[in-house]
């Protein structure tokens, strides 16, 4: 089975939002072993949507639509599909009562255009929407499967995962499966990594190995085809071992791992607590750690010391140190790491300071960043970055590099990587 | 002129990344008044890419490609286009010397596959890449314009903005223009807003008005067609005034404004300083403010008090208060706001506490969040949220709602909205 995802919405073509729905659904389909060959985005325009459907029908067995199921006049996905397939739209009583209930529960007045959302394609299975009003649909016709999903991410994600995916999985009978496993690397460029594993890339059949770079990271995706998952895993594991024997030192995690999730896992495993003092990153280092459930076992807290005054008065850094070296300095980063560790009584303290941009900070050009690490009672260690990006990419990059340096420092100190 | 954007890369079809390049280029094209009718995503596969090009040629005058210009074997965009258009690839000396210089500057070894990046389509204009190695290209052939851009966002964005866009603008002769202006609202649902401005939506010709909901926000996009920008603006301004007369109280900004950028603007304008104490959001409130250049004029800093111990020891909240009311309480949020304002000596203090999820916090279900505001010497004010989302959407939503409440509280206290 191969799939095409059609996202409907002029806001996508105007660049107001990115097509994150296609990203999400693609991940889910790849877990089912369904190949996605194309994503298409089309505006709120019946004629152009109809032509996009015709093209998709010429190249896909499964067509998944996102968006255009809402109450407004711009929402015309199901109307266009109904017209194209020659099917009537009929009211679904369950969906209608759910919409009425939704309005009652939130104490809002139900307007007439909300009723329109309970219309479904005749003969389709309803996909319940527990986070919004427009129901989804799954329709089989002429050997093809059409799935209609709403546009808002908080509605489409649970609907696909809990309503559409099980129905799709049930329809995929005992053909072979495709299993992917992604290895994540940090601290090595894409071309350099590729040269190191050239032999593996040149001689791939099953599993295949594909590199991808992005956001300072490089990944290698290993994809195996086999009759069952049990037969696919040994193929993947063998290839993984081959790769890690060559570039293992840069490997930090797999699949959905992030540098933040791995560092949290590692800190929890070794029973280490952490605090941070942040200047240019202003809380981003801590906030990204807090995305990981269970982080309260390691993250005690920290400070945002955006101004010089906050660094002195709140963190207790000596004014003379700042006068002598400036806030964008190794000395300041080290002092921030040390002071925040002492103040919060943690095992590890991290300090981030620098000139995010667009303006330089005194004689320090934009993109000059210092990161300090205070681990236990050892002398603080600092790292300097000279980044070339824009303000926010510099801030994001600094946080990623801080996680990656911390991981390496912990390994050097004898804490096992997980 | 109408455009199609073709993003090339299997990583997009596997859901490893979202197509943010199409979002960025679409915004840029809409500023030039160029309609984008379709986005297409296709994998690293020559045959499927060729078919996507043929379809795009049947429906667009301007075809913009992103991705597939890199050094690896998977990168085959320019090879496929060269083959399709019957054009040879030739080495560009400037690009080649730039690549060599890039490696020299960073002290890395240049591998042979990096040379491939200096190959360009014969007859194309080179678009310089100042943030990476692969040059872009602009080619005119048979009345169509083809633009080839690299995949990494930090390369494509400056290249499009500073290299491709001026060349496109020069080619757009004195036909009419399309100008868009987006009004942003917070605190009103999409259907409710649409009902309120129904007459305007029903009677639109030029300008047109289109609603869009997302992430708790609603926007109305006003789009005018006219001979010149000078003629388009009065049309937009008149429609804007009509709309704001009805739903102005929910309006917070326009176009690229965010709640964070507007609150920073407002605080700077009124000369107010701010500090925050964050528990579940762990720095996100402060970090999003720090995305805005110039924020150091208002954000002094703050604390992340993730654990109860940090709230007591670092922020100075009384243990008895936490024992009596718990950390997920109005009392705790109010105390956090007050203490952080006093500690950092600012005009405003904000406190965020709650159960982000997935687990409840004691008897408080996941999604229960309290936000406290301490403004000047007035009694702290608190707001309760009961969110239904996942851990991270709850954290993000709490921060947005905190900005929006703060804006309303400041307006109530007589500070003018900007």
């Amino acid at each position: 089975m191969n799939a095409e995802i059609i996202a409907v919405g002029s806001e996508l073509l105007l660049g107001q939002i990115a097509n994150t729905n296609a990203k999400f659904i693609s991940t889910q389909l790849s877990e089912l072993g369904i190949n996605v060959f194309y994503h298409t985005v089309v505006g709120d325009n019946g004629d152009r949507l109809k032509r996009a459907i015709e093209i998709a029908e010429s190249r896909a067995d499964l067509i998944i639509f996102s968006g255009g199921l809402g109450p407004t006049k711009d929402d015309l996905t199901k109307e266009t599909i109904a017209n194209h397939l020659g099917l009537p739209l009929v009211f679904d009583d369950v969906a209608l009562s759910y919409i009425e209930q939704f309005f009652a529960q939130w104490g809002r007045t139900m307007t007439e255009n909300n009723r329109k959302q309970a219309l479904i394609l005749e003969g389709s299975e309803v996909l319940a929407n527990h986070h919004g009003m427009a129901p989804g649909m799954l329709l089989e016709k002429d050997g093809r499967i059409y799935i209609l999903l709403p546009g808002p991410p908080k509605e489409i994600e649970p609907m696909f995962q809990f309503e559409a995916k099980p129905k799709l999985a049930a329809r995929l009978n005992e053909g072979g499966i495709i299993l992917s496993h992604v290895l994540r690397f940090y601290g090595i460029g894409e071309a350099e990594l590729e040269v190191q594993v050239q032999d593996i890339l040149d001689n791939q059949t099953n599993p295949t190995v594909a590199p991808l770079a992005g956001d300072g990271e490089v990944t290698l995706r290993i994809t195996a085809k086999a009759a069952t998952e049990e037969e696919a895993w040994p193929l993947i594991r063998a290839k993984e071992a081959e790769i890690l024997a060559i570039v293992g030192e840069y490997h930090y995690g797999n699949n959905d791992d992030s540098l933040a999730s791995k560092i949290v896992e590692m800190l929890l495993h070794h029973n280490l607590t952490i605090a941070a003092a942040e200047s240019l990153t202003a809380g981003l280092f801590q906030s990204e750690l807090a995305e990981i459930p269970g982080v309260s076992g390691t993250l005690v807290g920290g400070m945002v010391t955006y101004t010089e005054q906050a660094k002195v008065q709140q963190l207790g850094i000596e004014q003379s140190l700042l006068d002598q070296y400036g806030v964008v300095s190794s000395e300041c980063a080290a002092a921030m790491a040390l002071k925040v560790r002492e103040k919060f009584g943690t095992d590890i303290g991290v300090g981030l300071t620098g000139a995010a941009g667009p303006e330089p900070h005194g004689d320090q050009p934009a993109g000059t960043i210092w990161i300090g690490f205070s681990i236990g009672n050892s002398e603080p260690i600092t790292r300097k970055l000279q980044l070339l990006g824009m303000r926010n990419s510099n801030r994001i990059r600094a946080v990623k590099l801080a996680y990656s340096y911390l991981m390496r420092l912990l390994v050097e100190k004898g804490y096992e990587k997980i």
Side-chain angles (χ1 to χ4, degrees), chain A residues 137-163:
Chain A
M137 283 153 256
L138 185 151
L139 178 77
E140 285 197 68
K141 192 162 192 297
D142 303 333
R144 258 184 226 98
I145 301 177
Y146 301 79
I147 296 180
L148 286 69
L149 302 168
K154 71 169 180 185
E155 297 178 30
I156 199 174
E157 296 190 3
M159 186 187 287
F160 189 86
Q161 221 161 349
F162 303 117
E163 300 281 327

Side-chain angles (χ1 to χ4, degrees), chain A residues 335-357:
Chain A
M336 287 171 75
L338 180 69
K339 292 285 184 186
V340 83
R341 183 180 66 69
E342 288 175 353
K343 227 172 145 54
F344 283 77
T346 52
D347 301 306
I348 300 167
V350 179
L352 295 118
T353 182

Side-chain angles (χ1 to χ4, degrees), chain A residues 103-104 106-112 114:
Chain A
F103 275 92
W106 292 92
R108 292 200 189 168
T109 316
M110 177 166 159
T111 57
E112 188 52 31
N114 286 117

Side-chain angles (χ1 to χ4, degrees), chain A residues 272-276 286 295-302 343-347:
Chain A
L272 296 169
T273 55
I274 189 168
Q286 295 166 81
V295 71
S296 59
T298 174
L299 175 65
V300 176
K343 227 172 145 54
F344 283 77
T346 52
D347 301 306

Side-chain angles (χ1 to χ4, degrees), chain A residues 285-303:
Chain A
F285 179 91
Q286 295 166 81
S287 174
E288 291 211 347
L289 293 181
E291 286 182 13
I292 316 302
V295 71
S296 59
T298 174
L299 175 65
V300 176
M303 305 197 80

Side-chain angles (χ1 to χ4, degrees), chain A residues 382-400:
Chain A
T382 61
R383 290 278 183 276
K384 184 184 189 179
L385 317 177
Q386 196 66 63
L387 303 181
L388 299 167
M390 318 277 275
R391 179 178 177 84
N392 284 312
S393 63
N394 285 345
R395 296 175 64 242
I396 293 165
R397 195 79 194 278
V399 167
K400 282 204 169 201

Side-chain angles (χ1 to χ4, degrees), chain A residues 6-10 12-13 40-45 47-50 52:
Chain A
I6 300 181
V8 187
S10 299
L12 290 154
L13 296 179
T40 296
V41 176
V42 59
D44 302 315
N45 176 295
D47 291 337
R48 286 196 283 273
L49 173 55
K50 187 173 156 59

